[in-house]
Amino acid sequence: MPITQQLDHDAIVIGAGFSGLAILHHLREIGLDTQIVEATDGIGGTWWINRYPGVRTDSEFHYYSFSFSKEVRDEWTWTQRYPDGEEVCAYLNFIADRLDLRKDIQLNSRVNTARWNETEKYWDVIFEDGSSKRARFLISAMGALSQAIFPAIDGIDEFNGAKYHTAAWPADGVDFTGKKVGVIGVGASGIQIIPELAKLAGELFVFQRTPNYVVESNNDKVDAEWMQYVRDNYDEIFERASKHPFGVDMEYPTDSAVEVSEEERKRVFESKWEEGGFHFANECFTDLGTSPEASELASEFIRSKIREVVKDPATADLLCPKSYSFNGKRVPTGHGYYETFNRTNVHLLDARGTPITRISSKGIVHGDTEYELDAIVFATGFDAMTGTLTNIDIVGRDGVILRDKWAQDGLRTNIGLTVNGFPNFLMSLGPQTPYSNLVVPIQLGAQWMQRFLKFIQERGIEVFESSREAEEIWNAETIRGAESTVMSIEGPKAGAWFIGGNIPGKSREYQVYMGGGQVYQDWCREAEESDYATFLNADSIDGEKVRESAGMK
Ligand code: NAP
């Protein structure tokens, strides 16, 4: 029997979040038998595992949703400008039902190993329980920020109280009423959970190492008129977001922060601060992401806001970032974050000046002081972009494991979609894909994969693989893109995850493409217009021959 008849599926997609659902739907449309395998017991990906109090989108609902399905657009109703995690999870489950995806989603199936069979040209996917499935194509939809990390603090396993990570939150929630709680981490996750914990905990101790520039979101209800407007204009909204460098539907500023008068600068900063969220970062001035001087002006404006809100001057000062400027970390948005530090039950501790010494059986030891706690919440982030891919064994040609390839050759991909040495393997939100509101590259990526795999099928191409050369070209463009931003200067100072700076020992490479989401889409389009030449040019597959036999130019 030919091997293709012994395969379980045409494609196996790992992960049932935004990416997995979009890919399953789009590959079904071209007749590929596609199966999602999902490690957890639910649909929703990042929104299923990050069920901590306060979790919600940092992007507004109208560009944090898919535009491809008319049924979903017409029938789903968003209720909040920044939907909370429960609402986003409900949206994804609604999509799974409405598009009849559930029957091709296998839950509780954690992948341990995926191994390329070079002789028979298929992927063997092996699960934690020892079972396996075979497919021609393997697609990672495991998420860019899904591999949670705990810090390397001595004694972390000795704590006798309860320990939680924001990215592995108990499904039934946690009752913190009256408890003494410690939080480690003030990134986007910490910033969302801290105000909620403060309302419940008896005492909340916030261990802050690097403060952030938090922009208030100014959340709002979505009324029927607003929802209808969005329904009627989804295509235009999505189109504008896909042309925006950060994948958001926002206006383009025209002035430089450095060149306008002080009064005008203040007026613009104030008005966009009022509008809230990413509007401040994107709509104030042309150069907050490109000029260190402009970024410092925004930094000083936010510091002045912190000092205005936080009553205790010493606490306000500690909350003001000084070692890097605005945009040096992924801009987090807040919901009453700074006000929280006016509460008498909230205590801010400086984990930079005085690092956490260790975790004891009773709590956190900070300097010489032991803070006795009932619970510790780790809001300590992720091994971003590469973590999910290097945490399992993805074994390509010649037995090479993906993590070893990247460790040896450096982080290399062909526009974030494929990797040399790993035939018939695609990634959604792979490393070196845009630094952006992620729903936009997820949808566009799923549609790109649909057209690419249709092309492959129609021409009878058995194997696709990019060359090392294609990866070097994309790596050079990734570096160029990053170096045109302040992120390349400020990110390393801030230990940002986008440069691998949040993990001791992780190589400092640009994990994302910062040259703009719209520029990235141009590269994807060009690849397509060239009949995917760079995806069929690895030495191993004799791209020339493949193209010739498929009747291509
Ligand atoms: P993060 O931004 O990496 O923040 C981790 C925090 O843990 C930092 O404050 C870090 O301090 C701290 N930390 C780590 N080890 C520590 C130690 N030993 N001692 C003291 N502090 C320590 O992680 P995150 O907050 O989970 O966010 C990651 C990304 O996920 C975000 O940037 C965003 O892209 C995404 N996210 C999005 C949303 C949303 O859209 N709604 C919500 C949450 C997260 P240092 O900074 O000093 O290292």
Side-chain angles (χ1 to χ4, degrees):
M1 197 183 343
I3 189 69
T4 44
Q5 288 174 28
Q6 297 171 37
L7 298 181
D8 296 294
H9 304 283
D10 293 322
I12 289 179
V13 178
I14 312 176
F18 267 97
S19 290
L21 299 183
I23 293 166
L24 171 56
H25 172 72
H26 283 89
L27 296 198
R28 257 194 202 168
E29 282 187 335
I30 55 165
L32 286 184
D33 166 11
T34 305
Q35 170 79 50
I36 289 184
V37 294
E38 161 61 47
T40 72
D41 57 353
I43 290 173
T46 209
W47 298 100
W48 182 247
I49 58 170
N50 288 264
R51 282 175 285 181
Y52 59 83
V55 64
R56 61 177 68 249
T57 66
D58 275 357
S59 297
E60 293 156 299
F61 73 98
H62 51 287
Y63 51 87
Y64 200 80
S65 31
F66 289 137
S67 77
F68 60 74
S69 161
K70 181 151 170 30
E71 300 92 310
V72 172
R73 285 157 42 158
D74 287 350
E75 294 168 29
W76 175 259
T77 302
W78 290 107
T79 68
Q80 304 161 78
R81 181 180 172 198
Y82 299 96
D84 62 34
E86 207 177 323
E87 186 164 347
V88 182
C89 238
Y91 170 71
L92 292 169
N93 278 270
F94 177 79
I95 291 178
D97 288 329
R98 192 64 186 82
L99 303 181
D100 195 20
L101 302 178
R102 247 176 238 278
K103 62 181 185 222
D104 291 324
I105 302 174
Q106 182 179 306
L107 301 175
N108 298 308
S109 302
R110 186 172 291 279
V111 173
N112 264 356
T113 305
R115 189 180 298 278
W116 172 248
N117 184 315
E118 176 67 11
T119 319
E120 306 285 3
K121 317 288 185 215
Y122 68 84
W123 282 95
D124 200 8
V125 178
I126 302 150
F127 300 92
E128 212 170 41
D129 66 2
S131 64
S132 66
K133 278 178 180 291
R134 292 170 173 184
R136 213 175 133 209
F137 305 116
L138 176 68
I139 304 177
S140 167
M142 292 189 279
L145 294 146
S146 305
Q147 189 64 41
I149 47 166
F150 283 91
I153 300 177
D154 283 349
I156 195 162
D157 295 325
E158 284 164 26
F159 182 56
N160 286 334
K163 268 190 307 201
Y164 306 97
H165 194 293
T166 45
W169 205 258
D172 297 334
V174 183
D175 184 6
F176 288 104
T177 312
K179 299 267 165 56
K180 280 191 189 169
V181 183
V183 178
I184 302 178
V186 293
S189 305
I191 284 157
Q192 290 187 330
I193 199 173
I194 286 165
E196 298 307 312
L197 291 177
K199 291 176 200 160
L200 296 170
E203 302 287 326
L204 182 68
F205 300 89
V206 177
F207 294 85
Q208 169 193 275
R209 195 164 61 184
T210 313
N212 248 301
Y213 293 97
V214 185
V215 180
E216 265 302 296
S217 294
N218 298 330
N219 201 7
D220 226 338
K221 291 218 164 67
V222 177
D223 61 19
E225 197 185 333
W226 191 1
M227 191 63 229
Q228 194 52 49
Y229 169 81
V230 171
R231 276 202 189 106
D232 294 343
N233 293 279
Y234 253 131
D235 286 332
E236 294 75 10
I237 290 168
F238 193 85
E239 178 71 10
R240 285 196 297 269
S242 64
K243 294 216 162 92
H244 191 284
F246 292 102
V248 292
D249 178 21
M250 291 195 186
E251 285 166 20
Y252 290 91
T254 49
D255 296 327
S256 148
V258 181
E259 286 168 11
V260 295
S261 68
E262 206 176 322
E263 296 74 47
E264 175 60 4
R265 190 161 54 236
K266 187 154 185 341
R267 186 193 67 74
V268 174
F269 275 153
E270 288 287 359
S271 84
K272 292 297 166 190
W273 184 261
E274 274 308 301
E275 215 169 326
F278 291 154
H279 290 272
F280 182 83
N282 288 297
E283 294 188 330
C284 280
F285 295 104
T286 52
D287 45 2
L288 299 190
T290 51
S291 148
E293 205 183 337
S295 141
E296 180 50 31
L297 289 165
S299 309
E300 195 42 41
F301 175 81
I302 299 175
R303 289 184 204 117
S304 74
K305 286 289 171 196
I306 298 171
R307 292 187 197 106
E308 237 172 74
V309 173
V310 180
K311 293 189 184 122
D312 173 47
T315 305
D317 191 56
L318 195 51
L319 286 165
C320 286
K322 297 177 197 98
S323 58
Y324 69 100
S325 68
F326 185 64
N327 272 322
K329 283 188 171 236
R330 190 299 214 145
V331 174
T333 70
H335 297 264
Y337 180 68
Y338 290 122
E339 283 84 346
T340 298
F341 293 91
N342 290 330
R343 297 179 68 112
T344 50
N345 68 330
V346 176
H347 316 284
L348 181 66
L349 298 150
D350 177 11
R352 165 131 353 247
T354 309
I356 295 170
T357 324
R358 65 189 165 87
I359 292 177
S360 67
S361 60
K362 293 187 191 150
I364 295 177
V365 184
H366 179 232
D368 294 332
T369 311
E370 183 176 50
Y371 291 86
E372 291 191 18
L373 302 167
D374 299 309
I376 301 177
V377 173
F378 292 88
T380 45
F382 303 91
D383 183 352
M385 305 310 291
T386 54
T388 51
L389 293 153
T390 56
N391 188 48
I392 60 175
D393 288 351
I394 300 180
V395 189
R397 262 191 306 102
D398 306 323
V400 174
I401 301 178
L402 186 55
R403 76 173 153 272
D404 294 339
K405 162 169 163 126
W406 281 339
Q408 192 181 315
D409 300 353
L411 184 56
R412 296 288 185 280
T413 69
N414 187 13
I415 55 175
L417 286 162
T418 58
V419 184
N420 171 255
F422 296 79
N424 288 9
F425 172 57
L426 289 162
M427 300 174 290
S428 173
L429 301 186
Q432 304 179 326
T433 48
Y435 185 56
S436 144
N437 162 42
L438 295 176
V439 177
V440 170
I442 287 173
Q443 174 172 323
L444 294 173
Q447 292 168 336
W448 188 96
M449 286 181 196
Q450 181 192 61
R451 295 188 299 275
F452 175 54
L453 294 181
K454 183 164 183 272
F455 178 96
I456 296 289
Q457 294 282 88
E458 284 172 355
R459 284 164 181 73
I461 296 170
E462 201 181 16
V463 174
F464 64 82
E465 188 185 343
S466 304
S467 65
R468 278 173 185 255
E469 190 196 355
E471 294 186 338
E472 290 310 321
I473 292 170
W474 183 241
N475 190 48
E477 170 60 15
T478 300
I479 293 170
R480 185 210 62 78
E483 289 184 349
S484 63
T485 71
V486 292
M487 281 75 109
S488 66
I489 303 163
E490 301 302 321
K493 294 186 203 164
W497 61 254
F498 57 67
I499 188 145
N502 63 327
I503 300 192
K506 185 166 179 174
S507 76
R508 301 300 186 250
E509 294 169 286
Y510 297 110
Q511 306 285 310
V512 286
Y513 178 66
M514 296 195 186
Q518 80 292 18
V519 179
Y520 176 81
Q521 293 307 332
D522 287 344
W523 278 75
C524 293
R525 228 178 338 269
E526 275 167 32
E528 201 167 336
E529 283 164 10
S530 72
D531 284 348
Y532 306 97
T534 67
F535 290 83
L536 298 168
N537 64 351
D539 292 346
S540 62
I541 60 167
D542 194 351
E544 198 60 23
K545 230 191 210 161
V546 168
R547 283 194 294 280
E548 214 173 277
S549 66
M552 294 152 56
K553 43 193 171 177

